Amino acid sequence: MRKWLSREGGGSAQLTLPAALGGGASGFGAVCTMPTSFTVVPVEAQGGERDGQQREEEDEGDERDRGTGDGTARESSPFINRAELDRGNMYEGKNMALFEEEMDSNPMVSSLLNKLANYTNLTQGVVEHEADEDSKRKEVKGPQMGTFIGVYLPCLQNILGVILFLRLTWIVGTAGVLQSFIIVFMCCACTMLTAISMSAIATNGVVPAGGSYYMISRSLGPEFGGAVGLCFYLGTTFAGAMYILGTIEILLTYISPSAAIFKVEDVGEETEAMLNNMRVYGTCIIILMAIVVFVGVKYVNKLALVFLACVILSIIAIYAGAIKTAFDPPDFPICLLGNRTLSKRSFDVCAKFTENNNETKTTPLWRLFCDSSLLNATCDDYFSLNNVTEIQGIPGIMSGVLTDNLWSAYSEKGSIVEKKDQPSIAGSEESKMGGLPYVFTDIMTYFTMLVGIYFPSVTGIMAGSNRSGDLKDAQKSIPTGTILAISTTSFIYLSCIVLFGACIEGVILRDKFGEAVNGNLVVGTLAWPSPWVIVIGSFFSTCGAGLQSLTGAPRLLQAIARDGIVPFIQVFGHGKANGEPTWALLLTAGICEIGILIASLDSVAPILSMFFLMCYMFVNLACAVQTLLRTPNWRPRFKYYHWTLSFLGMSLCLALMFICSWYYALIAMLIAGCIYKYIEYRGAEKEWGDGIRGLSLNAARYALLRVEDGPPHTKNWRPQLLVLLNLDNEQLVKHPRLLSFTSQLKAGKGLTIVGSVLQGIYLDKCTETQKAEENVKALMGVEKTKGFCQIVVSPNFRDGISYLIQSAGLGGMKHNTVLMAWPQSWKQTENRFSWKNFVDTVRETTAAQQALLVAKNIDLFPTNQERFTEGNIDVWWIVHDGGMLMLLPFLLRQHKVWRKCKMRIFTVAQMDDNSIQMKKDLQMFLYHLRLNAQVEVVEMFENDISAFTYEKTLMMEQRSQMLKQMQLSKNEREREAQLIHDRNTASHSTPAVEASVAAAMPEKVQMTWTKEKFVAEKHKNKDSNVSGFKDIFNMKPNQSNVRRMHTAVKLNGVVLNKSQHAQLVLLNMPGPPKNRKGDENYMEFLEVLTEGLDRVLLVRGSGREVITIYS
């Protein structure tokens, strides 16, 4: 192998390039151009002898040559042992020398792919929100979970639960099989459509922990993400409360009724006593569960499979029992009095009396309805008129009871559960039913309420996406597992509806707490081999679900808090040393306690339905937005989605929210809206590449294309400002009050572009440009100026302003007005170009048909915090140039600073004008313009030009001429110095160079100076200067300038007389002279015109009408 060692001037620098660069050892594939001072020496790679001095020189050269950044090669010879270059194998091999400048900032593909192997170590190419998270992540074991264990079973466990065991039979009995089918189908369709949208989002890149919150926030932005994330957190927390209430209901109603603390003493207190028992036991259980989660969360996760096994066994028991009823129905008799169902808690024999040894005895049932146990006792009228009958509670699947249960049987609160088509004779007295052993309904039932109670039984579809970090192939497992789980549970629910309706008697189905079947769980009566399978299974299932909610909700809150988008919950991002969210767990337990205090499962279920429905609605919205925007990053692996499905899912979620409970829906939306506005107002700025930003960009593009490129209609005209700022050497704004005035004039409406010019070349001024932009944007924030900042770098200031005037804005959104400050220092000799730039800017705005506002004495203008309690805004309307003078005071008075100022309009009448008629016409004009202003016509008569005016004009012209002479003499001095420099240079150069210079110089330039010639040239210049100054003092002023000065002096006197104490004076700005030689005089005229006034706004209209009398 052959290397090339290059050395410069004694071996102080080396350059080695691999021979393989050209494809082999024989040569390079391209011509290498070397510096002329380099000597190229071939060196054998197999160990050619080199002396110690050469090695030292090469080492020193390497140190000098390393990292110069000037474009020279920095690779070292492979013979030299340098530890600095041995950095993680990144620079191994020399085949990529062409890209070595990029290697400092951008990783090689090989190293990037190595890191991509596990996303937890992924380093992003750009600064993103993941940067901090990735740096904090520790090494984790490789994810091993497949679709079945990682997604399918967790979703199954979360979806199947308390409602299936405790409420589904009651829903079927109340709504009927058909309407129950509609309820379940709607809810399952909602979750299926949401799962399709969620699968698309979850397979569009890696989804870390945080599940739905992460997906929504990264798709719809921090505002939506925070609002929906907190709603999802509240939903999960209230779900915990619902599971705990279900646990207590199973315990106190079906397992151990004697454990109740509050006993029923009086008739009708059953419900209140039950609610109080719920509150006491619920509080104890939530404390116990919180301690379990705090101490050993890992045990909760290990027990999850045990709880899931309980659920699956219970469901198998239900199916087994339903099949068994076809040939061997279980014996669960129901006692009916007429068509009314009786509660068997207080009697055992379903008869009025029994005969034993030819002796008739009354039963406990008789004693409940009659005042004594005697046969001649006075009994309840309905009891006397109707017979007691006993029917089978579970007649079996072949009995044909399905036809009776097809239709709904909604009822009022406190009504008796009655069997349809059963003979009954109405009694005369219905007042004493309260103490009788009937089965009563505890709440009023209707279709929409049942939807709200049922919907929590289909939630839990996010369980798979929450575990994406533990999955072997998340982008394959999440869609498959989630959709399979929803399909399975939907089948279970729909088949259970049909089975319940076909196997169980309607009065038993409507008996919520199983009072007619000796207090058994209704679904348990159907199960095989024993009702206790369902009771124990559902008890452990609800316990496990409650623990899972108390485990998951704090972590969700911690994820939101650590994102830093909601400032007031950031404290909940902290926890124990191992990351357990202690503070979030306390808050979750506290919110859960609110649900426990509500104490009714049927009241808590609609609350969490709202929060889950809102979350699912925004998942669908996120998918629809991303699909419709067609953002380049939207490339989901899951292909079976469409924006119409997402839109349908979103609409269904919204409809279900209002179907469940319109007032709960409004409250949930209000909570989410308040959180959204709070994050928007106080939250941290996050750029997550979300869909709402993309939507804004698309909307902005659409609007820009719709806006006509031409000027808007007069009615829509408003000043779209280009504000020209001057910056000092530190890139700070010289006149911050200009931005204050901008925000007062705009009041946040229309377009504002704040521009400034830096002098120089852009490549050299990159840092200064960024600093200037940051300073201007910071000041815009302080002054509440809403708009855009544009910094231009130009070789000279004059061209930069021209670029801004020509190119600022986009399409129809271009500025039509330029606002700038008056150059206060234009008279200073060292700032001789400022007035030229100013006059050229005036000319360019006129050429571009843009209006111009020039604020004189800008530092005296008010800040946004000041308030004028009185005073006037005076408008001096000399020339009509579109009505801008009328519009500006109206716009200013919309702001708090100028609101209490009155508007006065002055116009000037010449000798031939009728001033009285002018005033009337102007008042009528203002009336039609709907402007309130005081009108005054000022008469200016022709009079002789005063000596003062003549003298002032003369001084102005003398000053201008003197500056020109001084400028000329300065140029001549510079030329003289250059000639002397050339002479000195020539005397030190070689004869050959002298000859060549002499040949190249023009003949009239003498390279040889003598003392006589130098003195003669000096006297010549001196004489010409003296004669020039004599001419200045003998000159006479130009008559045109005298007339202009006369107008300026006269008008200034009138304005001072009327408006000296006005808060602001607006004045027509005369145009610059067509002859550019009079530019400096023009500045003097404007100075004289505004002399003695504190705050002046010179206005030069664009020539088009900006205000109209028409509607």
Side-chain angles (χ1 to χ4, degrees):
M1 184 179 176
R2 200 168 182 81
K3 299 279 181 186
W4 294 94
L5 172 67
S6 61
R7 302 179 57 203
E8 178 183 10
S12 62
Q14 303 85 21
L15 172 71
T16 66
L17 291 171
L21 191 67
S26 58
F28 293 100
V31 178
C32 293
T33 306
M34 308 292 289
T36 53
S37 55
F38 272 68
T39 308
V40 180
V41 182
V43 180
E44 289 296 329
Q46 296 297 325
E49 289 296 321
R50 294 185 297 172
D51 59 8
Q53 181 185 0
Q54 186 177 353
R55 290 175 186 265
E56 288 171 10
E57 287 172 354
E58 285 163 359
D59 285 341
E60 290 167 8
D62 267 345
E63 290 299 320
R64 282 196 298 272
D65 204 12
R66 185 185 307 139
T68 57
D70 55 359
T72 58
R74 302 182 304 166
E75 294 272 341
S76 65
S77 167
F79 304 111
I80 298 165
N81 182 19
R82 283 220 328 247
E84 290 88 339
L85 279 183
D86 205 7
R87 288 180 287 188
N89 302 329
M90 189 172 284
Y91 292 100
E92 269 189 13
K94 306 295 181 272
N95 294 327
M96 291 294 155
L98 183 62
F99 295 96
E100 78 179 357
E101 292 294 336
E102 282 79 6
M103 287 181 195
D104 288 344
S105 56
N106 300 327
M108 290 287 289
V109 173
S110 56
S111 61
L112 176 69
L113 292 175
N114 185 35
K115 290 182 179 180
L116 276 169
N118 184 359
Y119 79 90
T120 52
N121 297 327
L122 176 62
T123 53
Q124 298 293 334
V126 293
V127 178
E128 273 186 324
H129 61 280
E130 286 95 345
D132 291 335
E133 297 168 12
D134 289 337
S135 64
K136 291 174 186 171
R137 285 184 185 137
K138 296 177 181 178
E139 283 289 332
V140 294
K141 293 179 181 177
Q144 296 296 327
M145 285 191 184
T147 304
F148 187 76
I149 296 289
V151 181
Y152 181 75
L153 290 182
C155 284
L156 219 59
Q157 183 193 358
N158 278 267
I159 294 170
L160 299 170
V162 63
I163 300 293
L164 170 65
F165 301 120
L166 295 184
R167 292 291 181 270
L168 190 58
T169 52
W170 173 70
I171 289 171
V172 172
T174 307
V177 172
L178 293 179
Q179 290 190 23
S180 300
F181 206 88
I182 292 169
I183 291 172
V184 173
F185 183 78
M186 272 200 311
C187 296
C188 291
C190 175
T191 52
M192 180 61 83
L193 291 169
T194 305
I196 291 170
S197 298
M198 185 198 72
S199 299
I201 298 172
T203 58
N204 187 51
V206 174
V207 179
S212 60
Y213 159 70
Y214 186 94
M215 288 190 286
I216 293 167
S217 61
R218 271 55 174 182
S219 297
L220 291 179
E223 295 88 2
F224 275 113
V228 180
L230 285 176
C231 283
F232 190 56
Y233 163 74
L234 290 172
T236 311
T237 306
F238 275 106
M242 184 187 75
Y243 292 130
I244 291 168
L245 290 174
T247 305
I248 303 159
E249 187 177 308
I250 293 166
L251 177 69
L252 295 182
T253 309
Y254 307 113
I255 296 177
S256 177
S258 59
I261 296 171
F262 295 88
K263 307 291 183 183
V264 180
E265 294 177 0
D266 296 326
V267 176
E269 289 185 356
E270 296 91 346
T271 306
E272 189 60 37
M274 185 66 181
L275 294 180
N276 288 330
N277 285 320
M278 291 273 198
R279 291 180 183 115
V280 173
Y281 274 97
T283 305
C284 296
I285 288 180
I286 202 165
I287 292 169
L288 187 66
M289 284 187 173
I291 292 169
V292 169
V293 171
F294 178 76
V295 173
V297 71
K298 58 185 177 182
Y299 300 113
V300 176
N301 294 327
K302 285 180 180 176
L303 286 171
L305 283 175
V306 177
F307 297 139
L308 177 61
C310 293
V311 176
I312 293 171
L313 283 173
S314 301
I315 291 169
I316 292 170
I318 292 170
Y319 281 112
I323 294 167
K324 184 174 174 288
T325 61
F327 52 87
D328 183 19
D331 184 27
F332 278 100
I334 306 166
C335 194
L336 298 176
L337 176 62
N339 65 351
R340 296 177 179 176
T341 313
L342 296 176
S343 170
K344 275 196 168 182
R345 288 182 185 273
S346 47
F347 66 92
D348 51 357
V349 178
C350 182
K352 291 184 179 181
F353 40 79
T354 58
E355 288 188 10
N356 190 10
N357 299 326
N358 292 327
E359 185 183 351
T360 303
K361 290 184 179 179
T362 56
T363 60
L365 179 61
W366 177 281
R367 297 184 198 106
L368 290 170
F369 281 93
C370 302
D371 57 4
S372 75
S373 59
L374 300 175
L375 287 171
N376 59 354
T378 305
C379 296
D380 178 74
D381 196 24
Y382 187 85
F383 181 76
S384 303
L385 293 172
N386 290 278
N387 292 324
V388 175
T389 55
E390 195 170 55
I391 62 169
Q392 276 300 325
I394 302 176
I397 200 167
M398 307 301 290
S399 64
V401 75
L402 179 63
T403 53
D404 297 332
N405 292 331
L406 280 178
W407 313 110
S408 62
Y410 299 118
S411 57
E412 297 290 326
K413 181 180 179 181
S415 59
I416 300 170
V417 175
E418 297 177 344
K419 178 173 169 55
K420 291 178 254 182
D421 304 328
Q422 186 79 5
S424 171
I425 301 169
S428 58
E429 286 186 22
E430 301 289 338
S431 56
K432 298 180 181 177
M433 288 196 305
L436 300 176
Y438 294 126
V439 177
F440 295 98
T441 56
D442 62 336
I443 54 173
M444 186 174 72
T445 53
Y446 44 91
F447 179 82
T448 57
M449 187 207 73
L450 295 181
V451 175
I453 291 174
Y454 173 74
F455 188 80
S457 68
V458 295
T459 59
I461 61 172
M462 301 289 182
S465 63
N466 290 343
R467 295 167 178 248
S468 60
D470 303 323
L471 300 173
K472 193 181 297 180
D473 185 0
Q475 299 194 356
K476 179 184 174 186
S477 296
I478 288 174
T480 312
T482 307
I483 291 171
L484 272 178
I486 292 172
S487 304
T488 307
T489 52
S490 299
F491 172 77
I492 289 170
Y493 282 129
L494 292 169
S495 61
C496 279
I497 286 172
V498 176
L499 289 176
F500 293 161
C503 296
I504 306 175
E505 183 61 57
V507 288
I508 295 288
L509 289 173
R510 291 192 290 281
D511 181 5
K512 188 188 285 187
F513 300 110
E515 293 178 43
V517 283
N518 300 320
N520 275 307
L521 183 60
V522 175
V523 70
T525 60
L526 181 64
W528 179 86
S530 164
W532 285 100
V533 175
I534 300 287
V535 172
I536 301 300
S538 59
F539 178 77
F540 282 114
S541 164
T542 49
C543 266
L547 279 171
Q548 290 284 356
S549 295
L550 279 180
T551 307
R555 278 160 178 70
L556 179 61
L557 183 65
Q558 188 181 41
I560 300 168
R562 284 183 171 174
D563 261 345
I565 56 174
V566 188
F568 71 86
I569 65 163
Q570 285 189 357
V571 66
F572 299 110
H574 307 299
K576 291 195 291 187
N578 61 352
E580 291 297 320
T582 311
W583 294 108
L585 178 62
L586 286 174
L587 180 68
T588 304
I591 297 171
C592 226
E593 179 63 20
I594 296 171
I596 298 295
L597 293 176
I598 294 172
S600 169
L601 184 71
D602 303 319
S603 302
V604 172
I607 296 174
L608 65 105
S609 293
M610 288 305 118
F611 291 125
F612 278 121
L613 278 167
M614 184 170 288
C615 175
Y616 295 165
M617 182 174 74
F618 281 103
V619 168
N620 284 302
L621 176 65
C623 183
V625 165
Q626 297 276 33
T627 309
L628 287 171
L629 286 178
R630 297 195 181 105
T631 48
N633 190 51
W634 181 246
R635 303 184 300 275
R637 288 191 178 279
F638 181 76
K639 300 297 181 187
Y640 307 102
Y641 70 94
H642 195 266
W643 69 267
T644 50
L645 292 176
S646 300
F647 192 77
L648 182 63
M650 185 181 72
S651 307
L652 192 54
C653 288
L654 188 63
L656 282 172
M657 283 177 73
F658 282 94
I659 286 171
C660 293
S661 171
W662 64 268
Y663 48 90
Y664 276 162
L666 291 176
I667 291 168
M669 286 179 166
L670 183 67
I671 291 170
C674 290
I675 297 168
Y676 179 96
K677 294 308 289 183
Y678 176 79
I679 295 171
E680 192 177 56
Y681 176 66
R682 289 289 309 275
E685 284 293 324
K686 297 279 184 183
E687 176 51 68
W688 285 339
D690 51 84
I692 294 296
R693 300 290 169 95
L695 194 62
S696 302
L697 284 172
N698 263 25
R701 172 185 162 276
Y702 177 75
L704 279 171
L705 290 173
R706 286 291 302 272
V707 173
E708 295 177 9
D709 212 10
H713 191 274
T714 304
K715 287 187 284 188
N716 293 328
W717 195 94
R718 65 166 68 245
Q720 314 283 17
L721 291 181
L722 169 63
V723 185
L724 297 177
L725 293 179
N726 284 328
L727 304 177
D728 59 17
N729 293 332
E730 298 295 322
Q731 316 308 337
L732 297 172
V733 178
K734 285 185 180 178
H735 303 294
R737 298 285 178 94
L738 200 60
L739 284 180
S740 305
F741 183 67
T742 304
S743 58
Q744 292 159 25
L745 185 62
K746 300 290 291 180
K749 303 291 189 295
L751 175 73
T752 303
I753 301 171
V754 180
S756 189
V757 178
L758 296 182
Q759 202 162 336
I761 298 169
Y762 183 68
L763 285 175
D764 302 332
K765 294 278 184 178
C766 281
T767 310
E768 287 92 331
T769 306
Q770 290 175 357
K771 185 180 176 184
E773 193 167 340
E774 287 170 7
N775 292 340
V776 172
K777 283 182 177 176
L779 185 62
M780 287 171 72
V782 171
E783 299 294 344
K784 297 181 179 176
T785 306
K786 295 180 180 178
F788 308 98
C789 174
Q790 191 167 352
I791 307 294
V792 170
V793 180
S794 172
N796 62 69
F797 196 78
R798 158 82 185 74
D799 290 344
I801 291 178
S802 178
Y803 300 156
L804 278 173
I805 291 172
Q806 291 176 63
S807 62
L810 182 65
M813 288 293 285
K814 290 183 73 70
H815 62 279
N816 54 29
T817 306
V818 177
L819 172 63
M820 62 190 300
W822 174 263
Q824 299 284 1
S825 57
W826 69 272
K827 288 187 179 180
Q828 297 174 9
T829 52
E830 65 271 12
N831 199 19
R832 62 183 182 275
F833 293 117
S834 68
W835 59 269
K836 287 186 178 179
N837 292 335
F838 176 81
V839 178
D840 283 340
T841 304
V842 176
R843 286 197 175 100
E844 287 198 343
T845 52
T846 307
Q849 294 184 327
Q850 294 171 3
L852 177 66
L853 308 178
V854 179
K856 194 162 186 283
N857 302 324
I858 185 62
D859 295 326
L860 299 177
F861 276 59
T863 61
N864 289 329
Q865 287 70 41
E866 293 180 45
R867 301 285 183 272
F868 287 133
T869 54
E870 56 181 2
N872 299 310
I873 300 176
D874 286 356
V875 176
W876 284 85
W877 193 20
I878 315 293
V879 179
H880 178 66
D881 54 0
M884 195 159 179
L885 278 168
M886 311 289 181
L887 189 61
L888 291 174
F890 169 76
L891 294 174
L892 280 174
R893 289 181 68 236
Q894 307 298 309
H895 197 274
K896 293 176 183 177
V897 174
W898 305 92
R899 190 163 291 162
K900 294 187 178 177
C901 293
K902 294 178 181 177
M903 181 176 166
R904 297 193 301 180
I905 295 186
F906 298 90
T907 187
V908 177
Q910 301 296 320
M911 185 175 285
D912 300 334
D913 295 328
N914 183 345
S915 57
I916 297 172
Q917 188 61 40
M918 275 182 70
K919 184 171 183 178
K920 285 181 180 178
D921 293 343
L922 183 53
Q923 285 173 333
M924 182 57 68
F925 180 56
L926 290 175
Y927 175 76
H928 286 307
L929 287 175
R930 290 92 63 203
L931 294 174
N932 296 320
Q934 183 183 336
V935 175
E936 194 168 335
V937 177
V938 179
E939 296 178 339
M940 279 182 66
F941 299 112
E942 292 286 340
N943 54 6
D944 295 334
I945 295 170
S946 63
F948 170 76
T949 304
Y950 194 87
E951 186 181 348
K952 198 162 184 69
T953 312
L954 184 62
M955 286 171 62
M956 176 187 74
E957 294 192 351
Q958 285 176 347
R959 178 179 177 279
S960 178
Q961 193 65 28
M962 190 179 295
L963 282 170
K964 286 178 183 173
Q965 290 287 349
M966 288 170 67
Q967 184 65 28
L968 189 65
S969 60
K970 182 181 178 184
N971 289 342
E972 287 180 350
R973 284 199 304 274
E974 287 172 354
R975 190 173 66 182
E976 184 178 316
Q978 182 63 39
L979 288 171
I980 294 169
H981 174 72
D982 290 345
R983 177 191 169 211
N984 290 337
T985 306
S987 65
H988 291 289
S989 59
T990 60
V993 175
E994 273 188 16
S996 65
V997 170
M1001 294 294 286
E1003 293 179 5
K1004 62 178 180 179
V1005 178
Q1006 295 180 351
M1007 295 303 296
T1008 315
W1009 282 75
T1010 61
K1011 187 176 180 182
E1012 292 79 8
K1013 284 182 182 178
F1014 183 74
V1015 172
E1017 186 72 19
K1018 191 173 177 183
H1019 281 296
K1020 177 182 170 186
N1021 290 339
K1022 188 175 178 183
D1023 293 343
S1024 66
N1025 286 346
V1026 171
S1027 64
F1029 284 118
K1030 284 179 182 176
D1031 290 342
I1032 289 171
F1033 292 114
N1034 294 331
M1035 70 185 293
K1036 290 184 179 181
N1038 184 299
Q1039 288 304 311
S1040 174
N1041 286 342
V1042 171
R1043 286 199 311 275
R1044 287 189 171 87
M1045 183 63 78
H1046 172 68
T1047 305
V1049 170
K1050 196 86 166 88
L1051 194 55
N1052 177 254
V1054 174
V1055 173
L1056 275 178
N1057 183 35
K1058 298 285 185 181
S1059 303
Q1060 188 167 11
H1061 301 294
Q1063 302 292 8
L1064 179 65
V1065 176
L1066 284 86
L1067 194 62
N1068 275 120
M1069 181 179 181
K1074 292 180 181 177
N1075 183 4
R1076 288 177 177 269
K1077 292 181 180 177
D1079 284 358
E1080 196 173 1
N1081 299 339
Y1082 171 69
M1083 296 294 289
E1084 191 70 50
F1085 296 143
L1086 293 180
E1087 194 75 68
V1088 170
L1089 181 63
T1090 56
E1091 199 170 4
L1093 296 170
D1094 286 341
R1095 286 181 283 268
V1096 183
L1097 187 67
L1098 294 169
V1099 181
R1100 182 162 174 75
S1102 60
R1104 69 183 300 269
E1105 293 293 331
V1106 299
I1107 194 166
T1108 178
I1109 63 174
Y1110 299 106
S1111 62

